[in-house]
Amino acid sequence: MGDVRVPRQLFLRGVAVAYLCAFASLYIQIPGLYGDEGILPARLLVAGEQKPLLQQLQESPSLLWLVPSLGLGPQQGLELICLLGALLSLGAVLLGALRDSLAYLCLWILYLSLYTAGGDFLHTECDSLLLEVGFLAFLVAPCGLLRSSTSPGLHDPVTFWLTRWLLFRLVLCTGLSKLASSDPCWWDLTALSRYYETQASPTPLAWYAHQLPDWLSRLGAVCVMASEIAVPLLMFFAPVRGLRICGFYIQLCLVLLGGCSLTHLLSVVLSFSLLDDDCFSGCTHQKKKPKSKTWSQFLLSCLALLVKLAVYVLILLGTIKLFKLEINWEQKIVLSKTNFTQENFSEFVSLIQAPTIWVGVLSLTWEAVVPYTAVAGVSAGKIFREVQNAYGAVEKYQLVSAYGIQHRMVPPAGRPEVIIEGSGDKKTWKELSFMHKPSSVSEAPPVLGPHKPRLDWLLWEAARADYQHSHWFTGLVQQLLLGKQDVLRLLQVDEAQYPFRVSPPAFLRASVYHYHFTQTGQDGNQPREWWKRLYVREFFPAVHLGDPVLEELLQEAGLKVTWVTLAFLPISDTPLAQALSVLRGHARGHSGPLVLLTLFTTVASILLLKDLVSRSRTPKGPKPKSKPATSEHKSKKPREAHPEASEKNRGPSGRGGRKEGLEERRIDSDRSPRKRK
């Protein structure tokens, strides 16, 4: 693989953008999630048995344990960590000097501190992926802040290869898990038509994609599985550059069609590992004149072309055979059907495990140019035991994670959603609408971008089971009954949209509904309602403050000790705490997507201004050719090294060098052809 300076810089900047989105998105939600009057108060983390600091850091690595020494409470500690991470990641996006190994190590430590203390709201696959990608950025980034030299350093092929290995694991495991989970929707190729409405954050574009014909959705499911299984196996580590570039564009199309969440952003960032500097040569440098190829280069290019054609034909023919693709010319559709069994798939997975590992080893060997002859003599069982021991040692640091194992089944009955209702007399119930998840059937799905609404996503997952598996839901019910404003802002930023803005409800209950996208009308126009829903079951019984059922559930969830603990924790009034309170006051009332959109606009404007300023400073026109060094310049260093000799050569007047130069030019003019004529 060629030089990868530009892809490496794109990778580092993309990781900084992902960190910026994650820190800013979480900062907006901290009061409602972890505030003193939030769903899971962060004070519970420091209310337990006091342990030595080193022991606490070893058991649960988080900077939150150092917050009391600054005179801050747990909530303000989380806010300070988010603000520091957002500022540092913003600097890494704008300034190349901050895209340094030390800066990315600090970002990783800050986000690990949030992940460790975040509980259920932060223990998601997306957060694990961000931590693993962030640690790889620490390895890939040059180390220049602690050195006197500011040069970016040479390309390290081993560390940047790890990003491609992570992309390979992420894409392949995601594809294999679809079939390995025995999800019937993927086996009968109907998953994509249902995925549009059952994904975590559906968009208005998903409603239009849901209207596509059934045969086209089936063909799309075939393309998704081929892109996630065959493409990484045959293209990501191919020695042919064209195959890797084709794999990049395929993954980019999948990501753009799938959405713009933080997981998709990280997938794009990892995809830069498939590129090299030659992919950007047309944008950064002038095209060089093509040179005549030698016979060896011509044969190698022909061989590379044959390999690319063979891979394309293999993927196409394999897809046609395995999914029984046929063209119905009368109806002008493409028929598809799974043409293999689960036993065949299990045999295929067992067959590719060992070759996949060795392909990775060979690719790493090629990048590092280091012989791995010692590996062949080690038994596979010993290797796997050592890998398991190493994984157990670093598991709490989220350096290596498994992706796609907990595959979510696509529910054929519809999208399950928890609907919370409140009442003042237990007779008339009003629904509490959420701004980031489907609730009202007449409202269009929101566009969230990289913002991740933690409560909405956790409610979407909780709807698949019972409330006993989601102890945090009891805390949500309690704070809604108390009318806590920080929790209410997680539901609706606009108070006019909340039905109990005057006084909190006296009773609350929750039910599970199945949501489906509506279909277009007979005239092809968009209907008045985006969703249709069906009542399924009760999720949480009707309770009120002081209800024995609610008190028992709070005790089981560990939330009953909150009010006892609050009295023993002093409220800090340091300048740092006051500054954090002022910033929090300015951030209240703003939604996460609006904050991220403002950040993106600001960053794009600054980068555009920097580019315009750099172009205005660049001189226009062709660069002047460098003049050859004169004899005076050539003899400058020797004269400085021997001052006495230079004084003799110059003579008393100091003009001896100029006279000798005139004499040399006169002799050259006499020897010129024009002079001889």
Side-chain angles (χ1 to χ4, degrees), residues 7 19 53-54 91 124 284 294 409 429 463 488 508 526 533 590 645:
Y19 269 127
L53 179 60
L54 292 179
T124 63
T284 57
T294 62
M409 296 284 188
W429 295 89
L488 297 183
L508 276 181
Q526 176 183 323
R533 69 182 188 182
H590 299 288

Side-chain angles (χ1 to χ4, degrees), residues 110 135 148-149 176 196 214 224 242-243 269 365 384 441 447 549 622 636 666 671:
L110 290 172
F135 192 79
S148 58
S149 175
L176 293 177
Y196 298 130
D214 180 67
V224 168
L243 290 176
V269 169
T365 306
F384 289 126
V441 295
V447 179
V549 176
K636 185 175 181 180
R666 187 170 60 250
R671 293 177 180 177

